[in-house]
């Protein structure tokens, strides 16, 4: 009985925390009610919006939050370490998408291949900086170098 009460109390506390985070962050919306990913300039707010409004398809992920993360990381006027930190958050968004939407190993592999192809296409022309950002996405490096 006590264990059930503690579990219920923890569940209620987690639900209250999620509701508070959700109400604190109101991402910009388009007229149709979907998130306006292009209007979000903060990688933290972008990750939060992706957590609460996770796209349903891989195409929507690439057109939405992951596409916006790539846009932010491709901006060469920003310091490379800042862009690498943004890419670390992008990695978390893709991991969340795979956990929630791509349940089979085949689907997860397709997500990885598609995202890596897009990263190579968009960041590859940046040379060593682009390769560094792809390594950050893969988890081989971090924003500290």
């Amino acid at each position: 009985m006590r264990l059930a009460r503690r579990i219920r109390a923890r569940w209620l506390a987690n639900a209250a925390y999620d509701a508070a985070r959700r109400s604190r962050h109101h991402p910009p919306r388009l007229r149709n009610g979907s998130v306006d990913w292009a209007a979000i300039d903060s990688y933290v707010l972008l990750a939060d919006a992706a957590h609460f409004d996770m796209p349903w398809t891989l195409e929507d992920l690439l057109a939405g939050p992951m596409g916006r993360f790539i846009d932010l990381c491709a901006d060469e006027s920003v310091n490379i370490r800042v862009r690498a930190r943004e890419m670390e958050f992008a990695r978390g968004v893709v991991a969340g998408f795979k956990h929630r939407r791509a349940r089979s190993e085949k689907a997860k592999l397709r997500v990885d291949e598609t995202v890596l192809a897009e990263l190579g296409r968009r960041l590859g022309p940046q040379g060593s900086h682009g390769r560094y950002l792809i390594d950050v996405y893969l988890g081989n490096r971090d924003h500290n170098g």
Side-chain angles (χ1 to χ4, degrees):
M1 189 66 152
R2 283 182 161 177
L3 179 61
R5 283 185 184 164
R6 282 197 300 201
I7 290 172
R8 180 171 161 67
R10 180 166 294 204
W11 181 86
L12 287 172
N14 288 340
Y17 174 76
D18 282 345
R21 277 187 67 196
R22 194 175 294 117
S23 68
R24 184 181 74 218
H25 175 64
H26 297 286
R29 303 251 176 209
L30 298 171
R31 294 191 88 155
N32 64 5
S34 64
V35 176
D36 185 4
W37 300 106
I40 303 174
D41 290 329
S42 165
Y43 62 93
V44 175
L45 295 179
L46 184 57
D48 269 354
H51 173 76
F52 291 117
D53 292 298
M54 182 63 69
W56 284 95
T57 67
L58 177 57
E59 292 74 23
D60 290 341
L61 176 72
L62 289 174
M66 192 59 196
R68 183 61 181 148
F69 270 115
I70 295 172
D71 290 342
L72 293 173
C73 292
D75 184 1
E76 293 186 73
S77 67
V78 177
N79 184 298
I80 187 64
R81 288 194 176 182
V82 173
R83 296 189 290 155
R85 182 71 175 140
E86 293 167 346
M87 188 57 74
E88 289 172 345
F89 274 68
R91 183 174 62 216
V93 168
V94 173
F97 178 82
K98 290 191 308 189
H99 177 73
R100 292 159 112 182
R101 308 288 191 242
R103 296 297 178 116
S104 71
E105 290 303 316
K106 185 177 179 181
K108 290 178 183 179
L109 184 61
R110 181 171 176 256
V111 169
D112 288 335
E113 290 172 347
T114 305
V115 170
L116 280 174
E118 186 68 10
L119 288 172
R121 185 180 74 77
R122 303 256 318 264
L123 299 176
Q126 292 186 9
S128 63
H129 282 184
R131 184 68 225 163
Y132 170 59
L133 291 170
I134 293 170
D135 282 345
V136 169
Y137 173 78
L138 293 171
N140 298 332
R141 299 179 73 182
D142 62 20
H143 70 279
N144 291 320

